[in-house]
Amino acid sequence: MKIHSKRWAKSVAILLVASTVASCGILPRSGPSKREIFAGSVQQSGDAFVVTVNDRVTRATAVQPTLGFSEEFKSAGLVGSDTIRPGDTLGLTIWENVDDGLLAGEGVNQTSLQEVQVDGAGFIFVPYAGRIRAAGNTPESIRRIITSKLDEQTPDPQVEVRRLAGDGASVSLIGAVGGQGVYPIERPTRTLSTMLANAGGVTIQPETAQVTVIRGNMRSKVWFQDLFNHPNFDIALRDGDRILVEEDTRAFTALGATGGQARLPFPSPTISAVEAIAQVGGLNTNTADPTGVFVMRNEPPEIANQVLGRTDLIGAQRVVYVLDLTQPNGLFMARDFSIRDDDTIYVTEAPFTQWSKVISALTGTLVAVGSVSTAGDTLSGN
């Protein structure tokens, strides 16, 4: 009876070991192996191009979204803080150097015109001076125009023009600013940077802040820091401008044998493969294969053709870029290779890691078999 039980226990052990070895292909792991990724290449009837990164590839793929204001924005001159706009209400006082003037009655040489409203087309009407363009002009400019018109009909007229109501030129600020609202364009706030400062500055990281200016049917965007790095981007504001401050929405995903697996936002306008890996804690020193660092992306046809030395590719192409950090210049390649929006960085596990898992599985199985065998002996002894 004992011999029977021992044979039965050994048979079970053999079956369990065989089962473990057979199942090595589905041991727990973080993703596909380097060999499996290469097997999915176009060269092996797959649907992705696998490309080793070199200097030529880094140059061809170093394409980042460029932000900056168009010439229409950059060429606009400064707006005066007292510029009149449609809807404003003006007050006019006219003095005439005669006893019986055009506007004043006998014995009175002063005439006040209260609440002269600028119409929707930007004009006002002044008796004897006619229809005058007010919108876009300052009170001083309007004063000179009226004086010139009246000077032809009455000697040495004196004119005063003042704004009674209306905000004048103004802009609206929304998004990640200290104080959202409508702000008048005044002498200290005629440019974009000074207006943002007047609104409390940006409330997000300056490195990832983007500023969009909407002017009529035109829209343009710039990095916040470029307002100070490139003075020509600090544009003059116009009445009705809408300013939106928001955070960069680009992100990349890191998977596999890294310090952490996550989808992370871009920490700056540009980021390299080395910086991206560092964002998730670098390579996992216990499991990572430094020869198997992959960057996966859908590449536009113009870049894909350039990278692959072709001209026939149409539409976005699946491209897998391979970085081997063990090469003499591997880290330099990774430092120069630019990560783009929606990229996936995947680091494969070292072959040794899989062997360790197999050995651990076998060891655990044999221990379990020994326990079963002991239990069988005990039972047979009863």
Side-chain angles (χ1 to χ4, degrees):
M1 188 68 178
K2 284 185 177 181
I3 295 173
H4 241 353
S5 298
K6 287 182 178 180
R7 286 179 178 175
W8 176 79
K10 288 180 181 179
S11 299
V12 171
I14 292 171
L15 287 173
L16 287 173
V17 170
S19 175
T20 301
V21 173
S23 64
C24 284
I26 55 173
L27 285 171
R29 51 180 173 159
S30 58
S33 66
K34 183 167 65 173
R35 183 175 60 184
E36 289 169 335
I37 292 176
F38 277 99
S41 68
V42 171
Q43 296 89 328
Q44 298 190 35
S45 301
D47 61 353
F49 293 98
V50 179
V51 178
T52 301
V53 174
N54 55 32
D55 288 328
R56 182 184 63 82
V57 171
T58 58
R59 287 192 297 270
T61 57
V63 178
Q64 296 291 347
T66 56
L67 302 182
F69 291 119
S70 62
E71 284 303 320
E72 289 85 352
F73 282 93
K74 292 190 290 186
S75 61
L78 293 173
V79 172
S81 59
D82 52 357
T83 301
I84 305 300
R85 67 175 185 173
D88 285 353
T89 302
L90 306 178
L92 282 67
T93 303
I94 301 169
W95 289 270
E96 298 181 68
N97 196 22
V98 292
D99 291 335
D100 188 11
L102 289 171
L103 301 172
E106 187 174 351
V108 180
N109 63 354
Q110 174 184 321
T111 303
S112 294
L113 301 176
Q114 299 294 339
E115 298 186 359
V116 178
Q117 187 171 30
V118 182
D119 64 24
F123 289 86
I124 60 172
F125 175 77
V126 178
Y128 297 102
R131 189 168 164 81
I132 295 171
R133 177 77 182 182
N137 287 320
T138 64
E140 173 60 22
S141 299
I142 298 171
R143 184 196 70 78
R144 289 198 299 265
I145 294 171
I146 295 174
T147 300
S148 176
K149 297 279 188 179
L150 295 179
D151 192 46
E152 300 171 359
Q153 305 174 67
T154 186
D156 194 24
Q158 303 296 307
V159 180
E160 178 190 35
V161 178
R162 58 198 178 277
R163 178 189 284 119
L164 299 180
D167 296 328
S170 62
V171 300
S172 59
L173 285 92
I174 57 174
V177 292
Q180 302 184 73
V182 178
Y183 291 85
I185 300 177
E186 299 175 326
R187 187 173 297 277
T189 58
R190 296 180 182 181
T191 64
L192 181 55
S193 66
T194 55
M195 185 62 76
L196 288 170
N198 189 48
V202 299
T203 58
I204 54 178
Q205 289 295 327
E207 294 82 4
T208 59
Q210 297 177 344
V211 183
T212 302
V213 177
I214 304 169
R215 180 175 297 169
N217 58 359
M218 296 189 301
R219 174 191 291 258
S220 208
K221 181 185 295 186
V222 69
W223 293 104
F224 173 72
Q225 289 191 319
D226 281 348
L227 297 180
F228 307 94
N229 296 334
H230 305 284
N232 61 327
F233 285 163
D234 191 15
I235 59 172
L237 298 176
R238 284 285 181 271
D239 179 37
D241 280 355
R242 289 171 289 166
I243 303 169
L244 170 64
V245 179
E246 56 188 345
E247 192 169 15
D248 183 16
T249 58
R250 295 176 302 155
F252 66 93
T253 303
L255 298 173
T258 59
Q261 302 187 46
R263 179 172 171 82
L264 297 171
F266 276 49
S268 58
T270 59
I271 181 173
S272 68
V274 164
E275 292 169 323
I277 293 171
Q279 290 288 308
V280 290
L283 302 184
N284 189 316
T285 56
N286 295 321
T287 61
D289 179 3
T291 69
V293 179
F294 298 91
V295 178
M296 306 174 185
R297 72 167 59 130
N298 290 330
E299 201 70 271
E302 57 273 13
I303 297 178
N305 278 312
Q306 188 175 355
V307 168
L308 299 168
R310 300 172 59 162
T311 59
D312 60 326
L313 297 176
I314 300 173
Q317 302 294 317
R318 292 178 176 176
V319 181
V320 180
Y321 295 101
V322 186
L323 290 162
D324 183 351
L325 303 187
T326 65
Q327 293 296 318
N329 62 344
L331 283 172
F332 286 101
M333 290 293 105
R335 184 198 65 181
D336 296 338
F337 187 81
S338 297
I339 298 300
R340 298 214 300 270
D341 188 26
D342 284 334
D343 277 359
T344 297
I345 301 173
Y346 175 70
V347 180
T348 58
E349 292 182 344
F352 173 79
T353 302
Q354 286 299 304
W355 278 110
S356 297
K357 291 178 180 179
V358 171
I359 293 170
S360 296
L362 287 172
T363 303
T365 301
L366 291 175
V367 170
V369 168
S371 300
V372 171
S373 179
T374 302
D377 289 343
T378 302
L379 289 173
S380 64
N382 291 335

